[in-house]
Amino acid sequence: MPISQQGSVNTTSLIVPDLYVQIVPPQNLVLNGVPTNVLGVVGTASWGPVDEPTIIGTMGDYAQQFGSVVPRTYDMGTQVAIAVQQGAQNFRCVRVTDGTDASAYTLVPGSNASFTAMYTGSLGNNITLTLGAGSKPNTWMLTVLLPGFVPEIFDGLVGDGAAFWVGLAAAVNGGLGPQRGPSLLIVASAGGTTASPAPFSITLGSTSAGADGATQVGSAQLLGTDAPGRTGLYALRGQGCGLAVLADCADPSSWTTQAAFGLQEGIYMILTTPAGDTISNAVSTKASIGLDNYAAKLMFGDWLWWSDQVNNTIRLVSPQGFAAGRLANLSPEQSSLNKQVYGIIGSQRTGTPGSGQNTAYSTAELGALLGAGIDLICNPQPAGSFWGVRGGHNTSSNPATDGDNYTRLTNYIAETLAAGMGQYVGQVINSNLFQQVRSTQLSFLNNMYGQGLLGSTDGSLPFSVICDTTNNPSSRTSLGYVQSDAQIQYQAINERFIVNVEGGQTVQVSRQTLPTGQVN
């Protein structure tokens, strides 16, 4: 009674009389949507890997991987902290440097043994190392401490002379077994030392200090390169990001490059104009650059005052983190328009509380910005006196594609199909394949419809899928082509709500007649 997978045995050429059991896989592939809340952030930090995407979920995770928030331009932690305040909780962080970053390094006094910080950055200068008596007689214990990190203890170190230092380096770099893995903070080197061990307490960086390499960072470092060993923004390729931010990057020459990357990767890029920008300059700059693309959202350079709780200061920060974080916390069919953002205490235009400034945007000013495809964060909003995104638009000049919802929903559907439909490649082309392809897509779209991501004003089904002989003639299928055509109607966003009121003593009120039991 041989058991096999369907398709692995030619059932038309069996000779031996027997029972043949074939395992038939489910005929309809089920698609589960890709995440839409993954936010990529590229910027500087005081610790952590460089040009390597790192998964972050909370500010605690961020502190362990990249150190704390640093009050400076291009700081990655600032944008992550702001986005977390908006509800974002799924990040891919890429640290960049200007090439001058260095690891904290120190020599053990009276020896050639040394310790180097695991990563470059100034945070490594706070690491302290203490060698003292171990918990057992005639042993030594090395303690590695960094504020905010779990202490690392390497106990039971033995030996003398060169053997001791070689053993210490092996323990730090390779661990002491299942109970004590290698250090996550330092790298040790015996350095050929033959001196007997002696107690010490040293601070890493006393010989050579660690450096962040953030002083000369600009748009070139944030964008990076797309060659093998990708850097900067290009390190986010294939990371599944739905949104991305180059922290504080206000260089107009980078806008079209960012937008092109967004189109390639299905990422909604959140851009900003320079701090203190004027409306006329923002509009003319966008036009001269030629930015007209649904993959990018350009925020006006009315930068925002934000209370940095880590550094106990009020800082002026770009609007990117607020917009990106809010969008990351919205379903893809939603718009950022009229949605409250949190943590803002003022803007360059309105000033901080108590500054005496209180200049709201006029309808003409809003019209000039939104008409040019430039969004902004301001107060008030149509729903009340709170800070929020005022337009919900991307940079496209096409009214059919200029909404947040178009970008995010299109990317969501496309990425989901790209992630799941590839299983049909290599299958035999017949009517059964057509049925499976169509069924798979209809099942996914029906799930979206049932969850409210798709809908229609008249209750009709807002999608259709064709995959049969009408769009797959034999002249094409004989060459190995299969085509599936889907039409999907998105739900529009209520941007211009008109309420007509007719009042006066001469008005004649007409009432609608409703079925019995219903109230007018």
Side-chain angles (χ1 to χ4, degrees), residues 149-421:
F149 288 70
V150 177
E152 297 181 347
I153 299 175
F154 298 89
D155 197 3
L157 302 175
V158 296
D160 192 23
F164 171 79
W165 297 105
V166 170
L168 182 147
V172 169
N173 300 336
L176 292 170
Q179 301 301 317
R180 172 66 265 176
S183 174
L184 300 178
L185 299 175
I186 60 171
V187 175
S189 172
T193 299
T194 58
S196 297
F200 63 75
S201 182
I202 55 179
T203 300
L204 207 61
S206 58
T207 302
S208 179
D212 296 344
T215 305
Q216 301 300 319
V217 165
S219 59
Q221 289 75 26
L222 293 168
L223 286 173
T225 60
D226 203 15
R230 296 185 178 102
T231 64
L233 174 64
Y234 294 103
L236 291 176
R237 281 204 188 278
Q239 296 301 308
C241 297
L243 303 133
V245 166
L246 299 187
D248 300 331
C249 183
D251 179 5
S253 67
S254 73
W255 292 349
T256 54
T257 302
Q258 292 187 60
F261 179 80
L263 277 180
Q264 294 167 5
E265 291 292 307
I267 298 176
Y268 198 10
M269 299 299 303
I270 311 301
L271 320 179
T272 182
T273 72
D277 203 1
T278 64
I279 294 175
S280 59
N281 182 69
V283 171
S284 62
T285 300
K286 177 179 180 293
S288 64
I289 291 297
L291 179 63
D292 190 332
N293 194 314
Y294 75 80
K297 182 181 186 71
L298 180 61
M299 304 303 297
F300 178 54
D302 182 9
W303 285 30
L304 306 165
W305 291 105
W306 174 70
S307 180
D308 182 346
Q309 301 295 322
V310 174
N311 297 287
N312 194 28
T313 184
I314 295 176
R315 297 170 51 201
L316 190 66
V317 298
S318 83
Q320 295 166 286
F322 296 97
R326 195 66 186 90
L327 284 166
N329 199 30
L330 288 173
S331 187
E333 84 282 2
Q334 298 288 332
S335 168
S336 62
L337 168 62
N338 207 22
K339 306 297 192 302
Q340 186 169 5
V341 294
Y342 306 96
I344 299 173
I345 60 176
S347 72
Q348 288 181 292
R349 179 169 175 134
T350 63
T352 57
S355 65
Q357 294 178 250
N358 189 18
T359 308
Y361 287 89
S362 67
T363 300
E365 291 172 319
L366 292 174
L369 286 169
L370 299 178
I374 303 172
D375 215 332
L376 73 158
I377 292 177
C378 63
N379 184 359
Q381 293 286 306
S385 297
F386 57 83
W387 291 93
V389 180
R390 194 61 180 83
H393 287 179
N394 56 52
T395 62
S396 173
S397 61
N398 183 351
T401 63
D402 69 354
D404 291 333
N405 59 319
Y406 175 83
T407 303
R408 301 194 67 223
L409 203 52
T410 298
N411 288 345
Y412 169 63
I413 294 172
E415 291 293 329
T416 298
L417 294 177
M421 295 299 290

Side-chain angles (χ1 to χ4, degrees), residues 488-520:
I488 307 168
Q489 182 184 51
Y490 297 171
Q491 299 169 98
I493 302 298
N494 183 6
E495 296 185 0
R496 302 162 189 90
F497 185 20
I498 301 172
V499 179
N500 295 319
V501 178
E502 181 183 2
Q505 59 194 26
T506 62
V507 172
Q508 299 295 313
V509 178
S510 59
R511 299 182 182 275
Q512 181 181 2
T513 302
L514 299 175
T516 303
Q518 294 190 28
V519 181
N520 284 334

Side-chain angles (χ1 to χ4, degrees), residues 19 27 30 44 48 51 60 73 95-96 113 150 172 189 292 319 325 390-391 399 423 430 436 446 475-476 486:
L19 171 63
Q27 294 302 295
V30 178
T44 63
D51 294 317
T73 307
R95 178 191 172 201
V96 297
V150 177
V172 169
S189 172
D292 190 332
R390 194 61 180 83
Q423 182 168 327
N430 53 33
Q436 291 177 6
N446 268 308
S475 59
R476 292 270 291 170

